């Protein structure tokens, strides 16, 4: 049968009072982002009645979200924004040195900075997430890149499951991709999947008089590329299948999950297409619905079995939602899953849901009087993220040209032969996240932003504040806690290289007035390695959280999942989202998460005849 899309804010298909079309489904998927949304569609398309639960609304027709160029506005829009106020360390004094620390001014406004007004309440460091059909793929910048092979192979090494070998994972990219930027026939890609991928025009690189082209050529020289071939190198396929790709320092095209007209392509599109398909796939979507816990049968047999979920109905029920009304609560309803429950709430909410359901560290659960279903010490631990930073300055005139995208290895500090920095440079500013970001410094602004790949520390945590499912958990990334000096040295070396490349812009752009990390017009002389490392340590930001419900080995007490995404110690429950990765998957996790969603669907359907 064909089930309805419930409570769509734009389509107004149903009202808040409408009950679910059915009270029992084969599969219930919690969370419609890059992990859960496509998975629910795949299960329904295989013929299994599937319920997809989303706490937010449907903004698929809203240009703020549908047009990729509006991604900054989308991330700031309180129609979907969830504010997680996180910490970067356990040191309160260090936290207060973060230049974009955010405070509640007490008058309905935020203060961002180091000198809050009297009486302001410290909130923390903003980490925006999206409560919306399609998840964070509806408000991000859409950047697509692939993990390093080691990021896949580590799962093989931990679990012995050869299906995770890097050479075998590309098929999931090909399963989902609708390539809009390469001529048909490229065997490394697919042209008929649900996820459109496209690139922007890079013909500007042929104009050697542009300041950006001069910087481009200098970046090529500094990284061992051919400066005379940069106009071609900027079009190199970042999703290509290259021999020893992880050791390839090169410029690349900036691929986004958008079609060639600039329209965002995300799980939202796939969900809508599944609901509208004449095949009448059995997919039900419930919006404005907060999952509060997973339900278990503990009476029959020695192993608890997930039997469904409890939900709270109503809009803005979660306190991370800026529209949440204090004290508001919706009715609680229990829904049954005949086969499995799949939690795909993301790196913050998936461990929260598991803990509220009785799965997690025993001491933490007992501290909130939560009945322990299974002691899983790793739930909410090993939080990981890429470190991000930037070199930002102002030219004397605008730095004309396009966007430079490059992955490279810092020669002096990289621990292996593999690339460790993803950078993109252009006439923009990006310094992290805070209410109202980014700062516009005028037409002469120029930034090289960078993502540090393969961070050596993943010592963060997501822990409950209470047993109330509406509460936001306590999130501490513990940046640079382990081997931090090594990661910082790599970031400093990368920044130095990018700064050197700037100097090729020539007149009339020069001299650059650098804003950070080395303020001034003679930055190289005014800044030491130590001062730059201190800057990145205090001001690094992130938005690629992972690993709080990690896949791991049978004998690893911190492993939450097996290689088939099954939660250890119980039956009928899986977690499929970025929290599943043992390590941060490359430079941008959105595409890898959609790839593992396709893998999870394959694994679940293979098990469909068993419980």
């Amino acid at each position: 049968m064909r089930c309805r899309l419930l409570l769509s804010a734009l389509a107004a298909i149903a009202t808040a009072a409408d009950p679910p079309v059915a009270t029992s489904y084969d599969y219930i998927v919690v969370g419609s982002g890059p992990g859960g949304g496509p998975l629910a569609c795949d299960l329904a398309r295989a013929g299994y009645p599937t319920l997809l639960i989303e706490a937010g609304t449907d903004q698929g027709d809203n240009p703020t979200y549908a047009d990729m160029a509006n991604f900054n506005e989308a991330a700031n829009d309180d129609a979907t924004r969830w504010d997680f106020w996180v910490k970067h360390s356990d040191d309160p004094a260090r936290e207060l040195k973060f230049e974009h620390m955010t405070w509640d001014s007490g008058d309905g406004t935020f203060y961002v900075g180091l000198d809050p007004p009297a009486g302001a309440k410290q909130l923390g460091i903003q980490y925006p997430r999206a409560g919306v059909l399609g998840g964070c793929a509806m408000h991000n910048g859409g950047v697509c890149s692939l993990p390093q092979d080691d990021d896949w192979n580590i799962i093989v090494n931990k679990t012995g499951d050869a299906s995770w070998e890097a050479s075998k994972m590309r098929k999931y990219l090909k399963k989902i991709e609708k390539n809009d930027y390469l001529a048909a026939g490229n065997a490394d890609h697919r042209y008929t999947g649900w996820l459109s991928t496209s690139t922007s025009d890079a013909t500007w690189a042929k104009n050697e008089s542009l300041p950006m082209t001069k910087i481009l050529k200098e970046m090529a020289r500094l990284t061992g590329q051919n400066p005379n071939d940069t106009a071609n190198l900027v079009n190199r396929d970042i999703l290509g299948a290259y021999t020893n790709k992880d050791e390839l320092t090169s410029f690349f095209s900036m691929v986004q999950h958008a079609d060639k007209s600039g329209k965002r392509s995300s799980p939202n599109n796939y969900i809508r297409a599944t609901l509208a398909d004449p095949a009448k796939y059995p997919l039900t979507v419930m919006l404005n619905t907060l999952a509060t816990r997973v339900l278990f049968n503990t009476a029959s047999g020695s192993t608890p079995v997930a039997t469904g979920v409890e939900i709270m109905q109503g809009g803005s029920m979660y306190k991370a939602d800026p529209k949440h009304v204090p004290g508001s609560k919706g009715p609680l309803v229990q829904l049954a899953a005949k086969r499995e429950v799949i939690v795909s709430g993301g790196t913050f909410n998936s461990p929260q849901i598991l803990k509220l359901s009785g799965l997690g560290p025993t001491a933490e659960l007992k501290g909130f009087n939560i009945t322990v279903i299974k002691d899983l010490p790793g739930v909410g631990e090993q939080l990981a993220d890429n470190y991000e930073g930037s070199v930002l300055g102002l030219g004397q005139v605008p730095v004309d040209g396009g966007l430079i995208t490059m992955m490279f290895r810092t020669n002096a500090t990289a621990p292996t032969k593999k690339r460790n920095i993803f950078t993109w440079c252009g006439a923009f500013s990006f310094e992290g996240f805070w209410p109202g970001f980014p700062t516009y410094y005028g037409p002469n602004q120029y930034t090289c932003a960078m993502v540090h790949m393969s961070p050596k520390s993943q010592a963060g945590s997501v822990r409950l504040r209470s047993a109330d499912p509406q509460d936001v958990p306590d999130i501490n990334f513990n940046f640079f806690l382990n081997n931090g000096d090594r990661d910082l040295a790599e970031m400093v070396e990368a920044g130095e290289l990018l700064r050197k490349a700037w100097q090729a812009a020539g007149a009339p752009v020069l001299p650059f007035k650098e804003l950070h990390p080395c303020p001034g017009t003679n930055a190289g002389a005014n800044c030491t390695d130590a001062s730059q490392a201190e800057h990145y340590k205090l001001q690094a930001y992130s938005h690629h959280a992972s690993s709080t419900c990690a896949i791991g080995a049978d004998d690893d007490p911190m492993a939450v999942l097996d290689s088939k995404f099954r939660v250890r110690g119980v039956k009928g429950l899986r977690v499929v989202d970025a929290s599943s990765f043992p390590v941060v998957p490359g430079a941008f996790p959105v595409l890898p998460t959609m790839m593992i969603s396709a893998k999870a669907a394959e694994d679940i359907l293979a098990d469909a005849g068993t419980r």
Side-chain angles (χ1 to χ4, degrees):
M1 70 178 172
R2 168 79 186 284
C3 297
R4 294 174 295 169
L5 173 64
L6 300 181
L7 195 60
S8 170
L10 296 178
I13 295 175
T15 68
D18 282 351
V21 174
T23 57
S24 181
Y25 306 86
D26 281 343
Y27 297 98
I28 296 178
V29 181
V30 177
S32 69
L39 174 56
C41 294
D42 288 345
L43 296 175
R45 285 171 179 264
Y48 292 96
T50 301
L51 172 64
L52 177 61
I53 294 172
E54 168 55 51
T57 59
D58 177 12
Q59 301 290 331
D61 294 328
N62 183 341
T64 299
Y65 301 87
D67 296 338
M68 184 61 79
N70 296 330
F71 63 89
N72 280 337
E73 290 82 358
N76 278 291
D77 187 5
D78 64 8
T80 67
R81 194 186 77 235
W82 279 7
D83 293 329
F84 289 89
W85 306 106
V86 308
K87 295 179 286 189
H88 285 172
S89 75
D90 280 326
D91 182 354
R94 172 178 158 184
E95 296 296 283
L96 290 174
K97 295 177 182 178
F98 187 74
E99 293 176 356
H100 296 115
M101 178 61 66
T102 302
W103 310 71
D104 180 348
S105 298
D107 59 2
T109 65
F110 294 117
Y111 170 82
V112 179
L114 303 176
D115 188 22
K121 176 185 176 183
Q122 184 177 349
L123 294 172
I125 299 165
Q126 189 188 44
Y127 203 109
R129 303 279 84 181
V132 65
L133 189 68
C136 290
M138 288 295 287
H139 79 171
N140 64 1
V143 180
C144 293
S145 67
L146 294 171
Q148 296 187 44
D149 286 352
D150 285 351
D151 297 339
W152 297 127
N153 291 334
I154 190 175
I155 299 177
V156 183
N157 295 335
K158 284 177 176 287
T159 68
D161 186 344
S163 70
W164 284 93
E165 290 175 358
S167 60
K168 298 175 182 176
M169 290 302 296
R170 188 172 189 91
K171 70 176 182 179
Y172 300 109
L173 168 65
K174 294 174 69 174
K175 179 178 180 180
I176 67 177
E177 185 186 24
K178 183 183 181 217
N179 190 290
D180 280 347
Y181 64 91
L182 292 173
N186 187 311
D188 295 330
H189 292 275
R190 187 184 177 197
Y191 299 82
T192 57
W194 62 265
L195 185 74
S196 294
T197 55
S198 62
T199 61
S200 56
D201 177 53
T203 55
W204 62 269
K206 297 178 180 179
N207 185 345
E208 299 196 0
S209 67
L210 292 175
M212 194 76 77
T213 307
K214 296 175 183 178
I215 294 173
L216 177 72
K217 287 181 173 291
E218 182 64 6
M219 289 174 71
R221 189 187 67 79
L222 291 170
T223 55
Q225 301 177 72
N226 183 356
N228 297 320
D229 194 33
T230 52
N232 293 318
L233 291 173
V234 292
N235 289 306
R236 176 172 267 165
D237 179 15
I238 200 169
L239 302 181
Y242 306 105
T243 301
N244 295 324
K245 70 175 180 64
D246 299 331
E247 298 180 13
L248 176 63
T249 285
S250 180
F251 299 113
F252 292 95
S253 59
M254 174 69 87
V255 173
Q256 294 177 294
H257 53 86
D259 66 22
K260 53 190 174 185
S261 71
K263 294 294 183 183
R264 182 183 294 274
S265 180
S266 81
N268 181 287
N269 303 86
Y270 192 29
I271 295 164
R272 285 175 159 229
T274 302
L275 290 167
D277 198 292
K280 301 186 184 301
Y281 296 116
L283 176 65
T284 300
V285 177
M286 293 183 66
L287 302 179
N288 282 344
T289 301
L290 179 68
T292 60
R293 62 187 174 112
V294 179
L295 305 173
F296 288 93
N297 178 358
T298 59
S300 59
S302 59
T303 303
V305 179
T307 59
V309 297
E310 181 182 80
I311 58 172
M312 180 182 293
Q313 296 178 293
S316 302
M317 288 293 103
Y318 196 51
K319 292 180 183 178
D321 189 329
K323 304 182 301 302
H324 176 75
V325 176
S328 62
K329 292 181 180 293
L332 294 175
V333 177
Q334 293 188 349
L335 302 172
K338 295 177 183 177
R339 291 181 176 271
E340 294 189 22
V341 174
I342 300 102
V343 176
S344 300
T347 299
F348 300 156
N349 292 110
S350 285
Q352 181 181 19
I353 292 170
L354 262 58
K355 289 180 179 183
L356 292 171
S357 308
L359 308 173
T362 293
E364 182 180 355
L365 302 186
K366 286 186 174 180
F368 296 110
N369 295 317
I370 297 172
T371 300
V372 178
I373 300 295
K374 178 65 178 178
D375 176 36
L376 288 174
V379 175
E381 301 301 308
Q382 303 183 106
L383 173 63
D385 212 331
N386 298 118
Y387 299 121
E388 299 182 57
S390 62
V391 183
L392 170 64
L394 304 176
Q396 301 300 306
V397 298
V399 185
D400 293 331
L403 186 71
I404 298 172
T405 303
M406 184 174 71
M407 282 194 277
F408 68 100
R409 174 182 181 270
T410 55
N411 291 326
T413 54
T416 70
K417 294 182 179 180
K418 294 180 173 59
R419 304 174 301 204
N420 56 336
I421 301 292
F422 184 118
T423 188
W424 64 106
C425 304
F428 62 89
S429 74
F430 181 49
E431 304 166 274
F433 302 93
W434 61 90
F437 83 97
T439 299
Y440 177 63
Y441 293 97
N444 298 352
Q445 65 185 8
Y446 180 80
T447 300
C448 280
M450 59 178 166
V451 171
H452 177 271
M453 294 186 282
S454 300
K456 297 164 197 64
S457 179
Q458 52 182 99
S461 62
V462 176
R463 295 174 183 164
L464 296 178
R465 295 182 191 273
S466 76
D468 183 350
Q470 294 180 280
D471 274 351
V472 179
D474 180 35
I475 302 165
N476 186 345
F477 281 89
N478 278 320
F479 271 6
F480 304 108
L481 185 64
N482 299 321
N483 300 305
D485 289 345
R486 293 168 58 189
D487 285 336
L488 287 167
E490 294 170 42
M491 295 182 75
V492 169
E493 183 181 347
E496 290 279 13
L497 183 148
L498 298 170
R499 182 181 297 107
K500 288 178 182 177
W502 286 15
Q503 308 313 310
V509 171
L510 297 182
F512 270 106
K513 178 184 177 183
E514 188 168 323
L515 301 182
H516 64 67
C518 297
T521 56
N522 189 18
N526 298 334
C527 207
T528 65
D529 287 355
S531 65
Q532 292 179 76
E534 183 71 0
H535 169 85
Y536 289 125
K537 181 177 181 179
L538 296 177
Q539 307 306 330
Y541 47 91
S542 63
H543 63 304
H544 301 153
S546 72
S547 308
T548 51
C549 298
I551 294 170
D554 291 344
D555 60 356
D556 180 0
M558 300 302 286
V560 178
L561 310 177
D562 69 10
S563 67
K564 305 299 184 184
F565 304 93
R566 294 175 293 217
V567 177
R568 293 181 177 278
V570 299
K571 294 181 179 180
L573 180 63
R574 306 193 202 218
V575 176
V576 181
D577 55 30
S579 74
S580 309
F581 290 105
V583 295
V584 184
F588 290 87
V590 63
L591 181 59
T593 302
M594 289 187 273
M595 290 168 65
I596 67 168
S597 178
K599 187 181 192 308
E602 186 179 274
D603 292 339
I604 292 169
L605 292 172
D607 289 344
T610 63
R611 185 66 189 256

